[in-house]
Amino acid sequence: MAAVFLVTLYEYSPLFYISVVSLCFVVTAAMVLGWFGFDVPVILRSSDDTESILPTPEKQMVQVTNPFALELASGPASVTDGVSLKPCCLEPCVLSCFWGCEIGALQRGLQAHQHGSRLSTLQHFQETLHLRYHYCQSFHTGCQDGKEHHTQVPADNGITDFGPLPRERYPLVAVLTLAEPEARDMYNIVSSVTVIHVPDDKYRLSARVLFQYLLTSQGNMYELKPLFMSADSVGASGPPDTEQSTQHSEPNSRASGVEQSPVLEEEEEEVEEKKEEEEEEEEEDWSEGRGRDCVVCQNAAVNRVLLPCRHACVCDSCVSHFQHCPICRAFVLESFTLTQ
């Protein structure tokens, strides 16, 4: 009976044609609007679209002041020739370099800090490590002086490597502690532990930072991990690359031994000045947060870090539209706000 009614309606009533055309128009318009980002009823969305708009949980972060900063200085580094370290601290600090520190001794010391034995001075670290290292050297650094300190194992020790892989010792452990007792009461972070690989005769991997730990006065330990910026952000931080290229180009020009005319020298000086101005502008843009655009909308600044991949590549508006990282396609479990 229902089939007969539909056939009769199809043959004699123009309302059937009108209703079919209207339905097709509504569905098509909803699909087009949804394609261009306009809000459409949930019933017209696919299941994938519905899952993708679920908000990403925001991880609550606590902002603290880290008085310690340490980086590897430029130049050659090896166990026999030593390595240069460049601390930049907010307060006067003591830089302690433990060469050939046993891995087990360091891990036991870090665990002891979490269980009540606070590691806030050089003496505390020496007592905790129980002299399970080859050589210790200390330096006193001023407040934000940025002075490089060269540490090296004495040749009398006869140490040229730390054995075959896998090793039982870290090549170098650099510890930063606050020099003044009053400063230890001002900061929650009381010491910084940096594990550094230094190449030797048996393992020639270039010098690099392996781990960085921050120890607090409450007995907590946090591992510092780098954030991965998008390709545009890396390009915005171009001055380090340009400095390396100019440093490599100068020896080549000198080694060629070709005499240049004064006109060419003036032109090269003008080009170098322009490059320096551009580098300064890029550094200002980077410090002010410009040049780090969201990889999705390309308009807003990057202010969200995705976890656990630690890619900083999206803004507040776009972070809620993804379950996968736009860079590495890893699942996004949490995110937190990136502050300047």
Side-chain angles (χ1 to χ4, degrees):
M1 188 65 182
V4 175
F5 176 75
L6 291 176
V7 171
T8 305
L9 183 63
Y10 174 76
E11 293 179 351
Y12 298 102
S13 176
L15 296 177
F16 184 81
Y17 297 100
I18 296 174
S19 60
V20 171
V21 172
S22 300
L23 180 61
C24 293
F25 174 77
V26 171
V27 173
T28 304
M31 292 176 62
V32 172
L33 293 176
W35 178 266
F36 285 99
F38 294 93
D39 290 333
V40 295
V42 178
I43 194 173
L44 298 177
R45 294 175 181 162
S46 63
S47 60
D48 296 337
D49 295 337
T50 305
E51 293 177 357
S52 64
I53 63 172
L54 295 177
T56 303
E58 182 175 357
K59 188 177 184 64
Q60 298 297 326
M61 307 295 289
V62 178
Q63 187 174 1
V64 296
T65 301
N66 179 18
F68 307 108
L70 181 69
E71 62 182 9
L72 289 171
S74 59
S78 65
V79 173
T80 55
D81 298 333
V83 62
S84 296
L85 303 177
K86 184 179 180 181
C88 185
C89 304
L90 300 180
E91 301 289 341
C93 296
V94 178
L95 172 62
S96 307
C97 301
F98 297 91
W99 285 92
C101 179
E102 286 189 4
I103 298 176
L106 178 62
Q107 296 300 327
R108 287 191 295 270
L110 296 177
Q111 292 177 2
H113 174 80
Q114 299 179 13
H115 292 87
S117 179
R118 300 293 182 261
L119 303 178
S120 58
T121 63
L122 171 60
Q123 291 74 19
H124 292 162
F125 277 93
Q126 289 177 336
E127 294 173 359
T128 303
L129 296 178
H130 301 291
L131 299 178
R132 296 186 179 274
Y133 51 85
H134 290 318
Y135 178 69
C136 178
Q137 189 176 10
S138 301
F139 306 93
H140 288 271
T141 64
C143 179
Q144 295 182 347
D145 56 359
K147 180 182 178 181
E148 295 184 3
H149 299 278
H150 186 80
T151 177
Q152 182 179 359
V153 180
D156 299 339
N157 292 19
I159 298 175
T160 58
D161 59 75
F162 296 100
L165 300 178
R167 292 178 168 176
E168 298 180 354
R169 296 177 180 269
Y170 287 128
L172 178 61
V173 176
V175 177
L176 281 171
T177 54
L178 296 171
E180 300 175 355
E182 296 80 7
R184 299 177 197 139
D185 299 331
M186 295 172 52
Y187 296 95
N188 184 31
I189 300 174
V190 294
S191 58
S192 169
V193 180
T194 305
V195 179
I196 302 173
H197 169 74
V198 182
D200 54 27
D201 295 339
K202 292 188 178 180
Y203 195 44
R204 298 184 178 277
L205 184 68
S206 61
R208 63 193 63 193
V209 174
L210 300 180
F211 309 103
Q212 278 188 303
Y213 302 101
L214 296 179
L215 308 183
T216 66
S217 58
Q218 288 80 19
N220 298 323
M221 182 183 69
Y222 301 100
E223 182 180 1
L224 284 180
K225 295 183 179 181
L227 300 181
F228 304 106
M229 310 302 292
S230 61
D232 293 338
S233 301
V234 175
S237 60
D241 296 335
T242 54
E243 288 177 1
Q244 292 178 359
S245 63
T246 54
Q247 290 174 358
H248 289 298
S249 62
E250 287 177 359
N252 292 335
S253 62
R254 293 176 182 175
S256 61
V258 179
E259 296 183 357
Q260 298 178 352
S261 64
V263 178
L264 293 177
E265 291 179 357
E266 292 178 358
E267 291 178 355
E268 288 183 355
E269 290 178 357
E270 292 178 357
V271 173
E272 291 179 358
E273 291 178 357
K274 291 181 180 179
K275 287 183 178 180
E276 291 178 357
E277 292 177 357
E278 292 177 357
E279 292 174 3
E280 292 177 357
E281 291 178 357
E282 290 178 353
E283 290 178 354
E284 292 177 358
D285 292 343
W286 178 257
S287 62
E288 294 177 3
R290 299 193 301 266
R292 299 186 301 159
D293 294 335
C294 173
V295 298
V296 180
C297 65
Q298 297 293 321
N299 290 324
V302 171
N303 53 13
R304 281 284 181 169
V305 179
L306 307 180
L307 296 177
C309 66
R310 305 196 305 277
H311 275 115
C313 56
V314 295
C315 62
D316 284 330
S317 301
C318 298
V319 69
S320 60
H321 296 282
F322 294 94
Q323 283 187 328
H324 299 268
C325 173
I327 302 296
C328 64
R329 306 303 299 166
F331 278 101
V332 178
L333 302 181
E334 293 176 309
S335 68
F336 66 89
T337 304
L338 179 65
T339 58
Q340 295 293 336

